[in-house]
Every structure is written in C-alpha cells, then in structure tokens.
Amino acid sequence: MRRVLALLLAACAAGPANAQAAGESVRFISCPIYRDVDAGRKSGCWLADERESGRRFDIGNAPTKPDWNHEVLVEGKVSSAADACGGVVLEPVRVSVLPGTCTRQMLPAEGFKGRAFVLPERNVRPVAVARPAPQPPFTERSFFLLYDFDRDFLVYQLDDYLLDQAITYIRAVAPKRIVVTGFAATTPAKVSGRLIAEDLAIAKARAQSVTEALVRFGVDPKNIETKWQSEAKPADAPGADGLAEASRRRVEIRVVPK
Amino acid sequence: MVRHLIFLGLSVAVLAGAAAQRAPSDWWAPNDVRTFERQTDYSNETGVVRTLLTGAPMETVGHPFFTPLGPNGRACVTCHQPSNAMGLSAEAIQERWQITGGKDPLFAAIDGSNCPTLKQDDPKSHALLLERGLVRIERDWPVKDAAGRSVKPDFKLEVVRDPTGCNSGEWGPGGKRGKVSVYRRPRPVANLKYLVAIGFAFDPKDGMPLDIDPETGTPSNSNILADARAYSLQAQARDAMRTHLGMEKAADAATVQKIVDFELRLSTAQASDRRGGALDAAGAQGGPMTLETSQPGQLGSQGRAVWSEFEAWEKLPAGVTGEQREFRESVARGAKVFREKTFLITDSAGINSPIGFGNPVRNSCVFCHNMSQMGNDVAPGQVDLGTTTQPFADPAPHLPLFRVTCLGAPHPHYGKVIYTSDPGFALTTGKCADVGKITLQSMRGLAARAPYFSNGSAKTLMDVVNFYDRRYHIGYSEKEKQDLVNLMSVL
C-alpha cells in the first residue's frame, strides 16, 4: 500500500506526460471548442486541442476569437495563468480562422468560472477624446499592423489601436513621405502535418487596404508609396507580443518626416 | 388632435369597399396649411407619442418637406407622419386607403403598390403596403454603391419566387432596366443627429476607418438607410425625391438642405403611457426632451447606460401604486433585461464575422443597440439577424425570394448558396459576405409605427421579442418578454 502511494505521489510530482513549461511556443491547427461559461458579456471560453500532444489549450486571450464552424491556426506561448476554462492558458496567443470546416462543439461550464470581460489595453478611444500629442523632434518611425493568417482584415482591438497611433503621429508630423509595405508569410511551414503558406497576393491586399485606410484618415495619397513583398521574416513588432510567426504577417507604415 | 383609431384586423377585402368620408386631423397631407408646433402629440394604442421641433414653430406651406415636388402628389410628409413618430404605421396606411378609396398619393404605382404593372385600383395590388407597411425599393443590378459607382458583385442573383411580378421580365434583375425590387418599411425621420453621429473613426465591422462620403470628403457612419445606400441625409433626401416622389430633375441644393435642416430639428419619442403615465415622472427621463438635449454618439457601455432613462423606476416611491407602479417596474426590469440578459449570438454576419468577436459570442441586446438614448449602433450598424434570410427568416410567401450564389469565397455563415427575400447591404457593396445585413432600426417611437423589422415581419413588439428568442435560443421567461415589450412601448 505504501509503495502504491509512493508511486502515485511520484507520478503527481512529475506531472502529466504532456506537461508544458511557461513560455513554450506552440503552433497547431485544430477545431475550436466553445465552453459556455457565463461570467457576463464576452465571457465564453475558447479551447483547442493540440492533436499531436493531446494537450488542451485555452486560446480565449486571442484578439480574434474562433468560429466554431471552422478550423483555427493557434500560435501562442504557454502561460502560468490559472486555468479558468479547462485548458492550459496561452498568452500571448493569436487565432486565425481557417476555411476548413469543423463540427460545432459546445461544452457546459462544468464548474469552470471563465473570465469576466476586461476591455483590452489596446482599444481605440472615441473621436471626441483627444489623443496625447506626439512631441518633436519628429524622427523616422515605423508602425506595424499584424494580421491573422491569410487575411487582410484589420484586427479589432489590436490593429485599430495601432493604426490610431500611426495616424496620430502622421498628423503631428505631416510627413512628406509614407512607405506602406505589406508582408506575407509565403515560406511554407509544416503545421499539424500540413504545409501552410500565404500567397504574395495577400501582402498586396494588406498594403493596399492600409493605404486606403490612411487616405480615409485624410492622408494625401500622393505622399504614400505602397509596396509589398514575400518571404517575410519575423520582426520586432510591438503588436505581435513576441510571437515570431505572427509577426511575419504584417504591414509596416514607415513615416519619413522629410 | 389627440385621437386613436382602431383598425386592427382590417383586411384588404374590407378596405376595397370602404371609403369613409371623414378626414382625420392626424394625417398630414402634402400642401396642408399647418403650423409645426414646438410640441406635437398624438395618441396611439399604448399612450402618446411626442415630437419636439427644436426652435420656433414652423409654417409648413411652401416648405419642401410638406410640398409635392414631383408629379405623383407625394411629399416627404406622406410617409413620415408626426402621428407615427415621423414614420408610417400599417394602421395609418389602411386608414388612408379607406378614407381616400386608394387614391391618396401614398399608393402611387411606382412604389406604393406591389408592382406598377398590377391593376392599381385593386387593394390586392397594394397588399404589401396595406398589410405590412412595405414600400417597394428598387436597387440597381448589377450593383451601384453609395457613391453611384458601378460595382462588380461577387455573387450571382437569381429569382426563385416573384409573387409581385416586379422581379421578372423587364422589371427584374435580368431585364433592360437592370433593377431588383425589395420591400422595406419606411424609417422615421427624427432623432437623426444620433444616426449621423460619429462616435469612433474606425468601423470594426469593416476593419477599416469609416467610409468617406465623396460629396463632402467627410466620414459617414452609414446608419441612415437599411442598405446604407446614402452617405448623408442630403443623399437620402435626393434618393427619396428621385424614387418616392418621382422627380425627374434633381432638386437644387438649397431645397435639399432645407429638408435636412428641418429633419435635424425633430426629436420623437413616446411621452406617456396609458398605464405608466408620464414617462418623465418619478425621476424617469423618457420622452423626447432627453433626446433633444443629449449629446449623440455616446457608447452606453462607457457612459450613460442604454435605457437608463428608466433607472429611477427600479425603486419607486411608496406613493406610486397599482397598475402604474406595476407598469413602471416592468419597464425598469425590461431595461435591465435589455442590457444584462446575455445569450449566445450565433451565425450573424456583422457580429460573428468578420470582426473577431467569435462565433458564438455571449452578449446582450446592447451589444449592438449600444448608443445612449437611442439604441442604435455607434458603429455602422449593418448586421444580419436573419429576418430576411433563410433558414432564420419567418416564412414570407408574399415576398420575392432570391438565390444568391457566392462566386468567390463562401458567405462566412451560409456557405456558397443563400436564399433571401432581401440581400440588404450586399445590394450596396456587391459583396456576398454582406447578404442579409440590414442597418439597425431606430428604436424610438415604436408604439406609433408598427409593424417592425425592415420587412414588417413582426406585427407587434411581442413578435419582435419572440423572433429574437427563437433566433438565438434565449429562453426569455414570459415575464421577461412582457417587460421587454413594455420597455419598447415607451421608447
């Protein structure tokens, strides 16, 4: 009996076979699972199983949430945050909704509390709220917008905030030249047993939509140079939160004061 | 002036033979000699709707809003009646048919009948207007956007069913005229400062900054018309003059501006309820005065909570008793249910896609109806609830049915093929992903202008609640439903 107990304790100390270390990077494709936790608005849990390891992750901190009808590409880092949903928390994490279809799966709360919605730090203020004015001297600066896989849609409460910062600087600087460069992760990568890669066309679409966004904000299109390129390398883009793969999918807005 | 007419249950057949002689004082006909007073009150089934005119009273004679500017005898006021909260109820339409024997300009063949090709003296030819308050709206096919630019749609449009005849032959999308007909409720022309307010510079549903009105070079929040085909009130007025008034020549800018200036002076809301009494009593702030004096474009979640006008009724003083107390408490509960009862919102483009809220997302009515005082969307409010699109729409054999086939990427929730009685916003953008999206409705003065939803599919406010309950499996209790109905009846 004592031996059995010792074995059990040893097993607990070692943790499960698929244990994870905080900071470990994960990247996988799976079908999302919704856990119907009700801790108020926007409080439901999003989970996804990494099929290769059998681990279940909490991916609900991603700016883009899943669609339960579609596969997701999950990119994130293991966090030591407490489990409130029934999965290992990924933070930071990015979710891209893929075209592949999934069977809807919704779990009941099963005692999990979930997390009450908290307005993300990256949120755009109303137009009536004055932005802090950038102070001179105005130097050349780059702003980066980040994208979900194979999308040119500006991510809510991420890119809108970053774009707001860019246009605030642009309005203060009144630059002679702005270079908008779209990037696509065209180099194939094997994820969950399949090769995925973006097409150069998405880099072009990203660049053109950001140019259009700047024009809508009142920037003279004559001052904007629009470019795009493939084989994007990771970049030190603040909005990527250190996720190298996610940082490949970006647009750079380079503001050249003179 | 304050009067209530009961025409519920009036059938088209009865209408055909009934042409009463009395002219009601609450119908404002074009060229009537009237003064638009600072305050105008009209009774309806549950109470009194009040319209405030900011500034001095105005004589209507000669004013373009009240003057037939085209050949069909209609003026703007024809479909935007003060007694109907500056909209138009099916009840008022039926009354008008009865009084005029169908000769009122309201019933003009061009859009006051199911189709101009039909026999116009037969009430059946006007059944959509008479029974459901629907006006025929003709859109270009292939699509033209809000700026009038041709757009190559990324979907194919086929007519599955054409009960009115206006989507077939020369009148249909395959005809020489290049048009498609849909049928929609008139929207009220009041409280408009809220509909044109710019709360945020970014449209999260589009993933872009707000679209720019090429005419003015300024951003537009596209919240005016069901399909966002007008960037501005001026553009809406011109569109209405060309279509509903039948003007062949565009009105001059001064005339258009005069109409818009008048419209922006109007604030409308229910002001009293027959059970609850004055809606600004006992600390409540119902009625149009709050609308007139408040700043538009504020997000309820970050400022004044939506429908908190009735918060004081959560704790009424002891002196309020009986039916009045019961009703006021119900309204206050309804406001809380509206704000706080969450449910899973699923498969609704504009909410669950393309913005990354997730599908499903748990939220309440104020997720979309989020603007303080008004309950419209601070962001451009094009959302697909499913009121016009299968499988969510109620059966509507009286309406056309279109088969939309996406030529590129499938619709995010419906797939490649969609069946709809009104493609909505897609008729402005040409995008398959926008099929079925309809701009959020104004929520003020509802008691004065049934039926509801863009296609008039909800005859009563309870029908509205029941649609949502079915659509999103909310599971409202009967008490919660009645509380919501009571709330909406006092807005």
Side-chain angles (χ1 to χ4, degrees):
Chain A
M1 185 67 186
R2 184 177 291 174
R3 187 160 176 256
V4 173
L5 190 62
L7 282 171
L8 280 171
L9 285 171
C12 289
N18 56 6
Q20 46 282 315
E24 176 197 351
S25 292
V26 296
R27 192 176 197 216
F28 61 92
I29 295 170
S30 189
C31 282
I33 299 164
Y34 185 76
R35 186 185 291 285
D36 191 20
V37 168
D38 184 2
R41 65 191 178 107
K42 299 183 185 175
S43 65
C45 291
W46 282 107
L47 304 164
D49 293 349
E50 185 188 44
R51 291 167 180 146
E52 298 87 328
S53 68
R55 294 181 296 181
R56 173 161 292 184
F57 289 106
D58 174 352
I59 59 174
N61 288 318
T64 297
K65 315 295 186 217
D67 179 333
W68 61 3
N69 296 312
H70 290 279
E71 287 183 319
V72 285
L73 168 66
V74 176
E75 299 162 308
K77 289 184 179 175
V78 172
S79 158
S80 57
D83 178 5
C85 289
V88 176
V89 178
L90 293 181
E91 176 64 27
V93 60
R94 297 291 180 270
V95 165
S96 302
V97 177
L98 303 179
T101 56
C102 292
T103 303
R104 290 180 176 191
Q105 168 64 335
M106 181 164 71
L107 297 173
E110 293 181 311
F112 289 99
K113 302 292 184 194
R115 282 182 294 273
F117 173 73
V118 177
L119 188 65
E121 284 183 19
R122 291 173 179 139
N123 72 89
V124 172
R125 306 307 299 152
V127 288
V129 177
R131 273 63 172 162
Q135 297 300 311
F138 296 126
T139 56
E140 182 173 315
R141 274 189 69 183
S142 284
F143 297 84
F144 297 95
L145 308 179
L146 287 308
Y147 292 84
D148 295 341
F149 182 83
D150 220 17
R151 298 284 301 275
D152 63 347
F153 189 86
L154 292 174
V155 178
Y156 181 54
Q157 291 182 338
L158 175 64
D159 286 326
D160 50 350
Y161 173 82
L162 299 169
L163 182 62
D164 195 71
Q165 290 197 320
I167 194 62
T168 301
Y169 190 69
I170 288 168
R171 283 171 176 158
V173 173
K176 290 278 174 10
R177 186 163 168 251
I178 299 169
V179 182
V180 173
T181 308
F183 294 84
T186 53
T187 306
K190 196 166 187 179
V191 181
S192 296
R194 71 176 86 163
L195 279 177
I196 62 167
E198 293 184 318
D199 195 271
L200 179 60
I202 201 70
K204 180 181 178 183
R206 287 169 180 161
Q208 289 179 332
S209 76
V210 169
T211 295
E212 166 66 14
L214 294 177
V215 170
R216 288 188 186 189
F217 275 139
V219 177
D220 187 339
K222 291 201 294 288
N223 294 340
I224 306 175
E225 181 185 352
T226 308
K227 305 192 298 187
W228 50 89
Q229 68 179 68
S230 59
E231 298 178 4
K233 302 287 185 287
D236 184 18
D241 296 325
L243 297 174
E245 293 303 325
S247 75
R248 296 179 195 267
R249 306 185 299 265
R250 67 183 183 273
V251 162
E252 179 186 11
I253 304 170
R254 189 156 58 90
V255 182
V256 185
K258 290 182 182 175
Chain B
M1 200 118 172
V2 175
R3 198 173 48 80
H4 176 231
L5 297 171
I6 298 173
F7 267 78
L8 296 175
L10 204 59
S11 72
V12 171
V14 171
L15 289 165
Q21 298 304 308
R22 116 192 113 73
S25 61
D26 57 358
W27 181 264
W28 292 50
N31 283 337
D32 272 1
V33 181
R34 296 207 188 221
T35 303
F36 208 110
E37 303 286 355
R38 160 72 183 142
Q39 176 179 316
T40 306
D41 288 1
Y42 284 103
S43 66
N44 49 53
E45 192 176 347
T46 60
V48 173
V49 67
R50 175 168 298 160
T51 300
L52 297 180
L53 180 69
T54 304
M58 191 187 86
E59 301 305 318
T60 61
V61 171
H63 190 284
F65 189 90
F66 301 89
T67 305
L69 301 173
N72 64 18
R74 284 180 180 165
C76 305
V77 73
T78 304
C79 291
H80 300 285
Q81 291 282 320
S83 59
N84 291 185
M86 300 309 292
L88 190 60
S89 69
E91 181 186 345
I93 294 165
Q94 291 163 9
E95 179 192 24
R96 204 62 198 152
W97 180 278
Q98 188 191 45
I99 288 167
T100 67
K103 302 299 182 196
D104 192 282
L106 172 61
F107 304 102
I110 190 64
D111 58 5
S113 73
N114 298 0
C115 190
T117 56
L118 301 173
K119 193 168 173 284
Q120 292 298 306
D121 58 358
D122 184 348
K124 288 178 186 166
S125 303
H126 304 268
L128 291 180
L129 181 60
L130 283 165
E131 295 176 3
R132 302 170 194 275
L134 296 175
V135 172
R136 191 175 70 90
I137 304 292
E138 206 175 61
R139 297 300 318 274
D140 289 304
W141 185 260
V143 171
K144 285 188 179 159
D145 69 11
R149 298 170 293 218
S150 291
V151 174
K152 187 178 178 186
D154 68 0
F155 59 89
K156 185 170 73 172
L157 187 76
E158 298 168 284
V159 179
V160 176
R161 181 177 75 222
D162 183 24
T164 68
C166 245
N167 282 296
S168 304
E170 140 182 34
W171 288 83
K176 285 182 190 166
R177 297 173 71 248
K179 303 289 182 185
V180 55
S181 287
V182 292
Y183 297 84
R184 298 182 185 146
R185 298 280 292 123
R187 295 186 162 225
V189 291
N191 312 318
L192 293 179
K193 69 178 179 181
Y194 292 88
L195 298 191
V196 298
I198 304 290
F200 292 84
F202 193 83
D203 175 4
K205 296 186 184 73
D206 190 33
M208 287 290 280
L210 293 177
D211 206 357
I212 301 296
D213 178 356
E215 189 179 342
T216 63
T218 57
S220 168
N221 69 1
S222 305
N223 271 331
I224 300 170
L225 291 173
D227 52 17
R229 68 182 182 277
Y231 280 118
S232 64
L233 293 174
Q234 288 80 359
Q236 184 278 327
R238 286 196 301 271
D239 178 81
M241 289 175 180
R242 181 178 55 80
T243 56
H244 307 312
L245 305 192
M247 291 176 70
E248 290 178 7
K249 192 178 162 191
D252 60 75
T255 300
V256 171
Q257 195 56 46
K258 205 169 177 183
I259 291 171
V260 172
D261 289 345
F262 166 71
E263 290 174 342
L264 284 168
R265 294 173 63 193
L266 300 172
S267 301
T268 297
Q270 194 83 340
S272 69
D273 182 87
R274 60 178 171 76
R275 293 155 295 174
L279 300 176
D280 56 359
Q285 294 179 297
M289 183 63 83
T290 301
L291 282 161
E292 185 181 59
T293 56
S294 298
Q295 184 72 23
Q298 311 295 308
L299 203 53
S301 62
Q302 296 181 7
R304 172 131 200 202
V306 175
W307 313 141
S308 59
E309 288 87 340
F310 303 101
E311 195 174 355
W313 286 0
E314 289 174 19
K315 292 176 182 171
L316 286 164
V320 181
T321 57
E323 186 184 48
Q324 189 174 75
R325 183 180 193 91
E326 209 172 282
F327 182 82
R328 289 180 180 183
E329 287 176 342
S330 172
V331 167
R333 283 195 306 271
K336 288 192 80 168
V337 169
F338 194 92
R339 285 193 302 270
E340 296 175 11
K341 175 134 183 158
T342 63
F343 49 91
L344 290 184
I345 301 168
T346 56
D347 301 319
S348 293
I351 304 175
N352 304 110
S353 68
I355 189 171
F357 288 135
N359 182 28
V361 59
R362 176 171 286 283
N363 222 305
S364 66
C365 302
V366 293
F367 193 24
C368 297
H369 297 278
N370 50 46
M371 191 186 287
S372 304
Q373 290 93 33
M374 189 65 174
N376 60 300
D377 199 338
V378 173
Q382 287 76 46
V383 165
D384 173 27
L385 294 181
T387 52
T388 65
T389 303
Q390 294 185 2
F392 305 114
D394 293 331
H398 50 282
L399 291 176
L401 185 68
F402 304 99
R403 177 169 49 238
V404 172
T405 305
C406 305
L407 300 175
H411 184 280
H413 307 295
Y414 295 123
K416 278 276 187 188
V417 179
I418 309 164
Y419 290 88
T420 181
S421 61
D422 185 348
F425 190 38
L427 290 177
T428 300
T429 66
K431 293 180 183 174
C432 177
D434 292 330
V435 170
K437 287 183 184 172
I438 303 282
T439 307
L440 265 67
Q441 307 288 321
S442 287
M443 291 195 69
R444 289 298 193 157
L446 291 170
R449 51 185 181 86
Y452 310 105
F453 290 137
S454 67
N455 60 358
S457 57
K459 287 187 176 176
T460 66
L461 292 173
M462 186 59 85
D463 290 342
V464 172
V465 175
N466 282 330
F467 177 83
Y468 279 98
D469 196 44
R470 285 195 304 273
R471 171 68 181 85
Y472 296 117
H473 308 283
I474 300 172
Y476 286 131
S477 67
E478 291 308 308
K479 184 179 180 184
E480 286 174 325
K481 287 182 182 180
Q482 192 57 54
D483 290 343
L484 284 168
V485 167
N486 289 343
L487 166 73
M488 289 194 285
S489 76
V490 301
L491 297 178

